[in-house]
Amino acid sequence: MDDSRSADGALQKDPDEWKTGDEPMTAAQRSYLETLCRDTGEQFDDTLTKAEASKRIDELRRQSPRLSGE
């Protein structure tokens, strides 16, 4: 198994391996994605699953002018 580590060193499971990853994104994910999409000028996709939303959040965090320097 290929576990990844977050910035703080904690183990994180790959979103593709989440048991509930195919469920609709959570309200918190939706809100954060909407904010990140506004920050980056990207289109918001309200059909993403939990796993897809998690990956998209990671992508947009790297592109966000406010968060890219973290």
Side-chain angles (χ1 to χ4, degrees):
M1 177 158 67
D2 184 27
D3 289 323
S4 62
R5 293 192 180 266
S6 66
D8 65 2
L11 283 176
Q12 285 187 335
K13 193 171 197 177
D14 184 332
D16 290 329
E17 297 176 10
W18 294 353
K19 291 182 182 185
T20 61
D22 59 345
E23 293 178 0
M25 76 177 99
T26 66
Q29 285 177 312
R30 175 182 298 277
S31 176
Y32 194 36
L33 267 176
E34 288 174 336
T35 299
L36 288 170
C37 285
R38 279 193 303 274
D39 284 353
T40 59
E42 295 287 327
Q43 188 72 29
F44 174 72
D45 181 356
D46 66 349
T47 65
L48 297 178
T49 64
K50 283 183 187 179
E52 291 167 336
S54 178
K55 292 178 196 176
R56 187 70 172 138
I57 287 169
D58 288 343
E59 291 172 14
L60 294 178
R61 282 177 55 92
R62 289 190 289 274
Q63 295 176 26
S64 173
R66 288 192 295 160
L67 301 173
S68 60
E70 282 189 348

